[in-house]
Structure formats: structure tokens, C-alpha cells
Amino acid sequence: MARTQRTTGLRSGPHVPPEQAALGCREVTKTFGAITAVDGVSIGIDDGEWVSIVGPNGAGKTTLLNVLNGFYQPDRTDDSEAGRIFLDGEDVTDAKTHERARAGLGRTFQGLELYEEEDVLENIMSIRAVREQPGLLSALAYFRSGRQLEAENMSRVEEIIDYLELWEHRHSTVASLPLGIQRRVDLARTLALEPDVVLLDEAMSGLTYDEKYDMFRFLADLNEQKGLTMVMIEHDLEVVTDVSERMIVLNQGAVIARGDPDAVVADPEVRRIYTGVE
């Protein structure tokens, strides 16, 4: 997908039209009872772009990611054009989470969703079933093809293990590993889906300086060398301004600023709400 022309201005509309974006949403709202967690958010993430979504606790960041990857459905309104989700230009609003994953949308989690008693290899192999798995009749009729698919999956998983430098841990149970390695395993599971767009929900949370450096090194290579589109939630503003092409700031579920990270951080409203500086 060619990069799309962006608009300008900290509080203007989405920089990339959602329906033309690698990942986009139009006027998405998500309420839980009387609480509005996401309030009329429109975003467009360009192909190959690295965008960070920031904001204070309770701003709606993780809820927005949950809507984008299908864990939550956006609220329905009388406006048929509102509440729509787009992936690579296709409307995926009604697609289930696993269907979006197969279409190229990956996700890591702040609270790690790993099989702690299984080893690293088994954790990563298990996710391949989400991407592709032969039906029962197909497997019975074409046993050789099924075995070939399993071999191909194993080969791909071994490549990911090597790429993320997890080789020495491949047969270690996840529960026995430090947090930094567990977060790498979570990223490995996401890469096993062979995504085009990756949602990163505080992928560096709880990590030491050295572990953050390692994670940044892998993510930067995935973005710059392999062209993956990155959408990252992160509280560390130093990390955000170093790695992001654009920043989107949420407060009380709504976008209050977007654009170049340095310009956004300098915005008085962002400083007041996000950093606590008047």
C-alpha cells in the first residue's frame, strides 16, 4: 500500500483517511454503562508507520486497541458511517478477532496472555493454528500435505525464535523466564501470525533499561527493515518521542492532540493533562 497524504494540525481530523489506512477507525465510541471509554475517535495509521497512543490512566487507550482488534464491538449509532473499523482499506467492523488476525492484524498484551506451564516453542507453535489449520477432512485426505504444513510451521517458528534471540530458551517453561524474555515470547507469538500491523499494548512495561533496549532494537528492525506498521501504547514519553513518527493523545476517551511527537509533547493542553505541567 502506498503512503497516503496526511492532513496537518494537532487537533485536525485523522492524518490518513481511515478507509484508506493500513489500520483506521471512524468516529468510534465504546461505552460501558454510564462510562464512555472511547468517545468518537477517528484515526488513520499509514502503511509502515510507527504511531504511539498516549494519555493518562483511564484515557481509553487499551479499550481503543480492544475495539481495533475485535475484542470489543464499537457502539452502534444512527450514523451508518460511524463506528467503522478498517484494515488495509477493508471494512472489518463485523469481523471476529481471529479473522482480523488472519487478515494481518497482530497484538501484544500488557498483561501477558501466555501458557505459563508450556515451553517457549509450544507457546509460539500454538498460535500458528489461528493463522492456518487444515480442516479435519482435508487432513485425513491429504496426510502428506498436513505433515508438510506442520514442517513449514515449525520452520517459520524456528526463524522467529532465532530472530528474537530466544534459542537458549526454546525448551524453557514460560513461568521460569524473566519478564523481559516473556515479553519477547509474546512478541514472537504475534509474529507467528505474520501480521502487517502490530498493536503493542505497553510492550516495555516493567522492563529494565537493558530489556527495554533489547525490545526497542527488535521493534525498530521490524518496522524499518521488515516494514511492519506499529501502533504502540506506551507511558515512557522518552521512548515515544525517540521511536514514533506520530503521537496520538487520548484523554477521557477522546483525541486531544495528534502529530509530530515533539510538537505534541510541547502542546499546552497535553502538558497540562498528560504530564501535569501547567
Side-chain angles (χ1 to χ4, degrees):
M1 179 191 295
R3 286 189 178 273
T4 307
Q5 182 66 40
R6 303 177 188 169
T7 60
T8 59
L10 286 179
R11 293 178 178 83
S12 62
H15 280 55
V16 181
E19 65 276 5
Q20 299 175 29
L23 178 67
C25 64
R26 184 191 301 122
E27 297 178 39
V28 162
T29 296
K30 183 61 184 178
T31 58
F32 300 95
I35 298 173
T36 301
V38 176
D39 188 4
V41 170
S42 295
I43 62 173
I45 312 298
D46 208 352
D47 184 48
E49 195 177 13
W50 188 329
V51 174
S52 292
I53 300 175
V54 303
N57 289 333
K61 304 182 295 295
T62 294
T63 300
L64 177 59
L65 258 59
N66 285 337
V67 171
L68 291 173
N69 86 319
F71 282 147
Y72 298 149
Q73 277 293 306
D75 293 354
R76 299 299 189 184
T77 69
D78 293 335
D79 183 354
S80 62
E81 297 301 311
R84 313 305 294 179
I85 312 296
F86 301 92
L87 182 61
D88 196 21
E90 298 293 328
D91 190 328
V92 295
T93 308
D94 297 322
K96 294 179 171 47
T97 300
H98 68 273
E99 293 171 333
R100 298 184 198 193
R102 289 191 182 115
L105 183 60
R107 168 79 183 271
T108 69
F109 295 87
Q110 179 183 2
L112 295 169
E113 303 287 336
L114 302 174
Y115 301 121
E116 292 189 349
E117 300 308 315
E118 303 293 337
D119 68 26
V120 169
L121 179 62
E122 292 166 330
N123 264 270
I124 304 171
M125 278 293 290
S126 67
I127 210 69
R128 292 291 292 187
V130 175
R131 183 177 183 274
E132 58 181 344
Q133 183 172 350
L136 177 60
L137 291 178
S138 175
L140 290 174
Y142 301 102
F143 180 65
R144 183 182 300 274
S145 296
R147 293 183 64 182
Q148 180 179 357
L149 177 59
E150 182 179 4
E152 291 172 355
N153 284 339
M154 179 63 76
S155 176
R156 177 60 183 141
V157 167
E158 296 287 9
E159 289 176 5
I160 294 169
I161 287 174
D162 186 55
Y163 178 78
L164 294 179
E165 300 174 9
L166 290 168
W167 187 261
E168 65 181 290
H169 306 292
R170 64 196 300 273
H171 292 308
S172 299
T173 58
V174 167
S176 70
L177 298 172
L179 179 60
I181 301 300
Q182 289 187 17
R183 290 210 177 277
R184 262 193 257 172
V185 175
D186 189 34
L187 178 59
R189 282 164 54 90
T190 301
L191 296 181
L193 294 170
E194 300 185 17
D196 300 308
V197 181
V198 178
L199 305 177
L200 302 162
D201 192 352
E202 298 196 39
M204 301 186 197
S205 177
L207 302 187
T208 66
Y209 176 85
D210 289 340
E211 289 170 338
K212 283 185 178 181
Y213 175 81
D214 284 338
M215 182 62 75
F216 166 73
R217 177 165 55 89
F218 294 124
L219 294 178
D221 188 70
L222 287 168
N223 176 247
E224 295 171 6
Q225 303 301 321
K226 299 187 181 298
L228 290 190
T229 303
M230 302 286 193
V231 183
M232 180 176 73
I233 292 177
E234 178 56 51
H235 281 290
D236 189 328
L237 286 182
E238 184 177 356
V239 170
V240 169
T241 54
D242 282 347
V243 305
S244 307
E245 295 176 65
R246 283 196 296 131
M247 182 188 296
I248 297 171
V249 184
L250 294 183
N251 187 51
Q252 297 181 347
V255 175
I256 65 167
R258 69 179 89 220
D260 175 80
D262 290 328
V264 169
V265 170
D267 180 68
E269 183 71 1
V270 174
R271 288 170 62 84
R272 183 183 70 81
I273 291 176
Y274 186 69
T275 67
V277 177
E278 294 290 345

